[in-house]
Amino acid sequence: MSKRQLAMVMDLNKCIGCQTCTVACKTQWTNRNGREYMYWNNVETHPGYGYPRNWMEAGGGFDESGNLRDGIIPDMVLDYGVPWDYNHDELINGSLFQAKTDSLEWGPNWDEDVGGGEYPNSYFFYIPRICNHCSNPGCLAACPREAIFKREQDGIVLVDLERCQGYRYCIAGCPYKKIYFNPKISKSEKCIFCFPRVEKGLPPACAHQCVGRIRFVGFLDDEAGQVYKLVHKYKVALPLRPDFGTQPNVYYVPPLFEPPKFDENMQPVEGSRRTPIEYLELLFGKEVHTALETLRKEQEKRARGEESELMDILIAYSHRDMFRLDNNYYQQQVDKKLKGSEFFKVIDQRYLQGANTKRVEIKDYTFHEKMLPQKDSSKAKHH
Amino acid sequence: MKLKLFTLGLVGCVSLSFADGFEEDVINVKKTQKFNPSALEFKKVKVYPQTSVSLNDKNTKDAQIPELEVGSVTTGKELYVVVKWKDYTHSVQPLFTTNRYGDGISIQFPLSYGKGKTLPYIGMGNEKNLVVVYLKKNVENRDYVKSFISEGFGSLTETSYKDFSLSLDYDKEKKEYTAVLKKAIKPTDLKTGIIPVSFAVWDGDNGNRDGVKNISNWKFLKVEGVNPDKGYISYLSWGYGKIGNPERGRELLIQNGCIGCHNFADQKNAPEGLAPNLSRIGGYNNPVYLKESIVNPSAVVIRNLNINRHYDKSQAPDKNGAYPNNEMYSWYTKDNKGKKTSKMPPYNYLAEQDLNDMVEYLKSLR
């Protein structure tokens, strides 16, 4: 549909579930204006219900013949979950500590770290999820007003808020439930792949902030890019639930590394896997076998001290290589103009000052230097 | 000259009588000095769930609203349309939910009507015949009243009309809604004597919004004391009363291959979405449209709800993995000038009685 396609790869082996991406996204886009309940980026524990609750069972996407499937619209309280407060203010009067809500049944990230399996062989891993900016988007297909479009230049899927009438069929149509209803404006909204940042050569906030450096961003047709290499060259990055038929453009390096199983005597069983391969197959399709095999082989290669481009990519040495937007346009600009710490230099003081803050005039910026003992410049010259 | 015409109109009015059954779709509009609810003459208007196109939310259900009561008066400068209906659940779209919907009503008029004009497609008009839609929905914290111009599915475009008001009140005792539309009207509009109008109601409790709604066919506001154009009336009233044998019509629909694309009644073999579903087609379409859509399907070309709902997996995907749309589901072809032609072939060779029998059967689908 689009001429080019931006994509993201997330290496699940390195995700620690810290939610830094979630916070980066929330503070940038969804902490206001009716978006408060939305997490355009969330990190959920697998196996688990996910966010919104049971999204994998909520319909949408396409059937095997390519026809849109019916779906449902999750409930704000029961499925997305809303935060609640505790009665901290009443504790001083001797009240018992309790939540200030009538029903504590579900909340965002409710089943964090629960996972599957029995102690000592329990297991889980994290999946961060954003909009997949699919090549055949279910949301776009469902909209009776064609208010959703896919950008020609990079395949980012956006909602035209002028056309959107808040009918919410897009939510039923998206199998990932990554488009949300904003009840304040009665329109649908979704992850925009931080397009205003991307256009300036910056990666999406979630990718840039990721402390585990698990996210790679680039164009799928940029053969020199790491995204291309992970997806097409090594084929270790796989789309989530490819059976939903929307051709997602967020790819995941499936979890390979995990502790082995323990036997009855609490001895580790060599070569054992805790996470059932069937579960990984459900999430990433049959290709997960070859992807895991490739990862294992390349890891062994690197362990023997041999070269492995794949492992070097996954180590994620530098943002410069991880984020390739518009054929490195962004990095070229940085190289030309900003070196080292200059990158962090504030160029527009107004934002630090505050638009409504009264300017305090400090005429002499060197007053503190005058308080220090004066250097003897003549001595220095002699040495 | 004007006076003379008016007198003629009055005389004509007395002698005017409509074809069999057409009277049922006519709502008399009295002329009053100012809005006077007691002058309203209410008429029952049946509404049917829209099933021509289906939407993709599993949790929506048909509204339990079988009929409305509609009355109308005019002051000469304003037209008032009052609509009442029973709804046992008063639903307002709340501020803090994602999956609850408000009740609502819309009233649509053709943008132009009268002598020589054809009726717009009931589903919010078509490219040649635009409609004006007035909408009121129950939304918490907002007065959700809007007006639109539209030329068919998906083309609803908001206007900034200020010359109308639409109120919606719920009587908790009677479990009844009353909507009052007041709109400015020009003397020329009244002169046509007959103003087509149609209605849609949404039952929020059953997840109704957008195309999930109950709708009426075109009704006709007959303005007191004005004699409408006879040609226009005979166009509008074509096919009312009994014009054929419905059982034979049903057989003819099967024999002529209509069931290859259309589903209706017990005929459900066509892939969903290949063509409009005809299950309730007679409920919300006037006979003249049913005839026209058989004889000349390209007269009104209806847009698919969204062609992207079906993609063609027999084709190769593009470099980004996207499959092209399945053209089989497109309801029309477009030439390089943008002219749309319905994919349905014109059945203009049918014998008149065959056509009448088919229309008679389609009328019964409601």
Side-chain angles (χ1 to χ4, degrees):
Chain A
M1 270 183 171
S2 58
K3 284 197 185 103
R4 299 191 81 195
Q5 180 66 55
L6 262 180
M8 192 183 284
V9 172
M10 303 191 200
D11 182 358
L12 297 184
N13 292 292
K14 297 200 297 181
C15 180
I16 55 168
C18 67
Q19 308 280 358
T20 305
C21 47
T22 310
V23 174
C25 178
K26 185 146 266 307
T27 50
Q28 182 115 42
W29 302 114
T30 66
N31 61 0
R32 55 198 180 270
N33 280 341
R35 297 177 187 157
E36 291 85 347
Y37 83 93
M38 303 177 197
Y39 291 92
W40 290 356
N41 178 104
N42 75 290
V43 184
E44 58 197 38
T45 303
H46 278 265
Y49 290 104
Y51 168 87
R53 191 170 60 101
N54 262 338
W55 62 268
M56 285 197 264
E57 311 298 323
F62 296 89
D63 65 19
E64 283 183 1
S65 328
N67 303 316
L68 186 70
R69 298 188 309 160
D70 288 355
I72 62 153
I73 289 139
D75 187 86
M76 186 186 278
V77 178
L78 297 174
D79 299 322
Y80 293 108
V82 291
W84 59 88
D85 286 326
Y86 289 96
N87 62 337
H88 294 107
D89 48 340
E90 293 163 12
L91 294 181
I92 198 158
N93 305 325
S95 299
L96 288 172
F97 183 62
Q98 57 190 17
K100 281 188 190 176
T101 175
D102 300 332
S103 58
L104 252 187
E105 289 171 43
W106 190 254
N109 224 16
W110 182 268
D111 60 348
E112 184 174 48
D113 294 1
V114 173
E118 291 286 316
Y119 176 82
N121 291 320
S122 45
Y123 57 88
F124 68 81
F125 56 94
Y126 300 110
I127 300 189
R129 298 201 307 122
I130 63 168
C131 165
N132 286 302
H133 298 276
C134 304
S135 294
N136 282 121
C139 60
L140 183 151
C143 180
R145 286 179 58 71
E146 293 184 18
I148 299 176
F149 62 99
K150 195 166 169 63
R151 300 210 306 187
E152 273 294 299
Q153 66 267 40
D154 50 20
I156 292 176
V157 177
L158 298 173
V159 182
D160 178 347
L161 291 178
E162 289 285 316
R163 289 197 59 75
C164 177
Q165 285 288 337
Y167 297 143
R168 295 167 249 182
Y169 293 107
C170 51
I171 303 169
C174 172
Y176 301 97
K177 298 292 170 272
K178 274 291 171 188
I179 183 160
Y180 304 83
F181 177 64
N182 181 329
K184 188 185 171 192
I185 59 170
S186 203
K187 287 172 192 294
S188 287
E189 293 185 307
K190 62 183 286 299
C191 155
I192 57 175
F193 210 82
C194 285
F195 76 85
R197 291 172 59 95
V198 163
E199 285 170 10
K200 296 280 177 205
L202 285 163
C206 56
H208 209 174
Q209 297 281 316
C210 177
V211 295
R213 299 163 78 90
I214 78 158
R215 301 194 188 208
F216 302 81
V217 181
F219 288 93
L220 269 183
D221 59 0
D222 177 10
E223 295 189 13
Q226 299 191 333
V227 164
Y228 175 89
K229 285 178 180 166
L230 292 168
V231 175
H232 290 309
K233 187 176 174 188
Y234 293 103
K235 300 189 193 314
V236 292
L238 305 169
L240 185 61
R241 292 304 301 257
D243 54 315
F244 287 155
T246 60
Q247 186 52 49
N249 288 304
V250 172
Y251 295 82
Y252 295 92
V253 179
L256 171 71
F257 309 106
E258 57 177 9
K261 272 187 178 170
F262 290 105
D263 64 15
E264 288 147 17
N265 307 317
M266 291 299 276
Q267 293 303 307
V269 182
E270 205 156 311
S272 62
R273 271 196 75 91
R274 289 194 188 186
T275 311
I277 192 72
E278 294 78 17
Y279 191 68
L280 296 182
E281 242 181 47
L282 169 80
L283 295 180
F284 306 111
K286 294 266 182 217
E287 288 76 11
V288 77
H289 294 276
T290 43
L292 290 173
E293 196 50 35
T294 307
L295 285 168
R296 193 176 295 118
K297 279 186 179 160
E298 291 290 322
Q299 189 211 10
E300 283 166 6
K301 235 162 86 177
R302 201 74 173 96
R304 291 195 299 267
E306 294 166 28
E307 292 269 308
S308 168
E309 187 192 28
L310 176 60
M311 285 300 123
D312 282 355
I313 291 172
L314 291 175
I315 287 168
Y317 284 111
S318 102
H319 271 180
R320 174 195 304 252
D321 300 324
M322 291 161 68
F323 308 138
R324 271 171 65 94
L325 293 159
D326 206 10
N327 285 331
N328 237 1
Y329 165 81
Y330 160 56
Q331 283 302 336
Q332 284 164 14
Q333 297 306 306
V334 170
D335 287 348
K336 258 186 254 166
K337 290 177 184 162
L338 310 163
K339 297 263 188 232
S341 62
E342 256 197 298
F343 184 77
F344 299 101
K345 205 169 164 184
V346 174
I347 52 166
D348 192 339
Q349 296 288 340
R350 287 173 304 173
Y351 294 96
L352 294 182
Q353 199 115 32
N356 302 312
T357 309
K358 251 194 173 175
R359 193 178 283 264
V360 180
E361 288 292 332
I362 304 171
K363 282 178 183 152
D364 185 359
Y365 291 94
T366 59
F367 65 96
H368 60 286
E369 286 172 15
K370 287 175 188 155
M371 293 161 74
L372 298 171
Q374 294 290 307
K375 281 178 190 166
D376 193 337
S377 54
S378 59
K379 263 186 189 173
K381 267 180 189 171
H382 284 292
H383 288 282
Chain B
M1 187 62 194
K2 268 185 185 168
L3 187 72
K4 200 176 168 189
L5 269 174
F6 188 62
T7 324
L8 277 172
L10 268 180
V11 174
C13 178
V14 178
S15 62
L16 187 78
S17 66
F18 295 124
D20 279 355
F22 185 64
E23 192 71 46
E24 268 182 38
D25 280 352
V26 174
I27 298 157
N28 289 318
V29 184
K30 282 205 177 122
K31 283 182 172 169
T32 55
Q33 285 295 319
K34 54 181 183 184
F35 179 53
N36 175 9
S38 64
L40 291 164
E41 191 184 305
F42 281 98
K43 192 120 187 187
K44 286 200 160 58
V45 166
K46 289 222 159 71
V47 285
Y48 302 89
Q50 184 284 123
T51 44
S52 293
V53 290
S54 66
L55 288 122
N56 61 314
D57 184 349
K58 274 183 197 166
N59 290 338
T60 55
K61 295 188 193 84
D62 287 347
Q64 299 304 308
I65 302 168
E67 64 179 22
L68 319 173
E69 282 189 80
V70 180
S72 178
V73 292
T74 181
T75 59
K77 283 182 179 166
E78 285 117 11
L79 180 74
Y80 290 85
V81 180
V82 180
V83 186
K84 295 199 277 191
W85 72 95
K86 290 262 185 218
D87 184 339
Y88 293 94
T89 50
H90 176 236
S91 318
V92 179
Q93 180 179 306
L95 195 53
F96 296 117
T97 66
T98 48
N99 52 2
R100 301 262 304 280
Y101 310 89
D103 298 325
I105 180 170
S106 85
I107 303 174
Q108 74 172 355
F109 297 89
L111 198 60
S112 62
Y113 44 87
K115 191 177 174 180
K117 296 279 176 6
T118 50
L119 284 172
Y121 176 61
I122 195 73
M124 295 171 294
N126 54 295
E127 278 176 24
K128 287 176 207 155
N129 293 299
L130 276 62
V131 294
V132 181
V133 182
Y134 301 98
L135 168 75
K136 167 89 186 177
K137 273 204 298 199
N138 283 342
V139 180
E140 190 184 339
N141 269 6
R142 279 172 76 183
D143 185 21
Y144 200 97
V145 182
K146 292 182 175 190
S147 62
F148 303 93
I149 292 271
S150 172
E151 53 172 46
F153 297 149
S155 68
L156 219 57
T157 304
E158 209 170 328
T159 67
S160 52
Y161 291 161
K162 296 273 186 287
D163 59 351
F164 81 100
S165 68
L166 179 54
S167 66
L168 182 60
D169 294 301
Y170 187 68
D171 185 328
K172 281 181 181 155
E173 299 275 303
K174 290 189 191 163
K175 308 272 180 204
E176 189 179 74
Y177 273 111
T178 304
V180 180
L181 171 71
K182 171 192 171 187
K183 72 184 279 273
I185 195 157
K186 294 189 206 102
T188 46
D189 293 329
L190 291 175
K191 251 190 205 167
T192 60
I194 203 133
I195 304 168
V197 62
S198 82
F199 306 91
V201 283
W202 288 267
D203 179 10
D205 197 53
N206 281 315
N208 281 200
R209 76 276 192 191
D210 183 35
V212 183
K213 60 190 165 188
N214 279 15
I215 58 175
S216 75
N217 62 355
W218 286 109
K219 303 294 173 187
F220 306 101
L221 300 178
K222 166 77 185 68
V223 184
E224 182 188 23
V226 188
N227 198 5
D229 179 70
K230 276 192 180 160
Y232 191 48
I233 291 294
S234 77
Y235 158 74
L236 297 176
S237 61
W238 184 90
Y240 280 82
K242 192 168 164 70
I243 59 164
N245 175 354
E247 287 80 29
R248 189 167 171 270
R250 181 178 173 279
E251 289 307 311
L252 284 165
L253 284 170
I254 295 168
Q255 282 168 26
N256 279 287
C258 307
I259 55 167
C261 301
H262 294 284
N263 287 336
F264 52 87
D266 57 342
Q267 302 296 322
K268 285 175 181 145
N269 294 323
E272 185 66 44
L274 195 64
N277 185 314
L278 306 181
S279 295
R280 294 178 192 273
I281 199 79
Y284 47 78
N285 278 290
N286 302 63
V288 65
Y289 171 76
L290 297 174
K291 178 179 78 169
E292 183 196 67
S293 58
I294 298 171
V295 176
N296 184 12
S298 292
V300 171
V301 180
I302 307 164
R303 202 194 73 137
N304 293 62
L305 201 56
N306 185 333
I307 181 63
N308 303 301
R309 277 168 182 237
H310 307 274
Y311 61 74
D312 191 349
K313 290 189 88 171
S314 67
Q315 304 270 333
D318 73 5
K319 63 171 183 169
N320 299 322
Y323 286 95
N325 287 333
N326 192 340
E327 288 305 320
M328 188 175 91
Y329 286 87
S330 178
W331 293 353
Y332 55 82
T333 55
K334 218 172 174 179
D335 67 13
N336 44 21
K337 282 178 188 160
K339 190 178 178 291
K340 292 172 184 169
T341 308
S342 172
K343 277 193 177 172
M344 176 173 154
Y347 287 81
N348 48 10
Y349 50 81
L350 293 170
E352 192 179 349
Q353 196 48 53
D354 290 356
L355 185 62
N356 287 0
D357 289 347
M358 286 160 92
V359 171
E360 192 61 34
Y361 175 67
L362 292 174
K363 276 161 62 180
S364 73
L365 293 173
R366 44 182 72 198

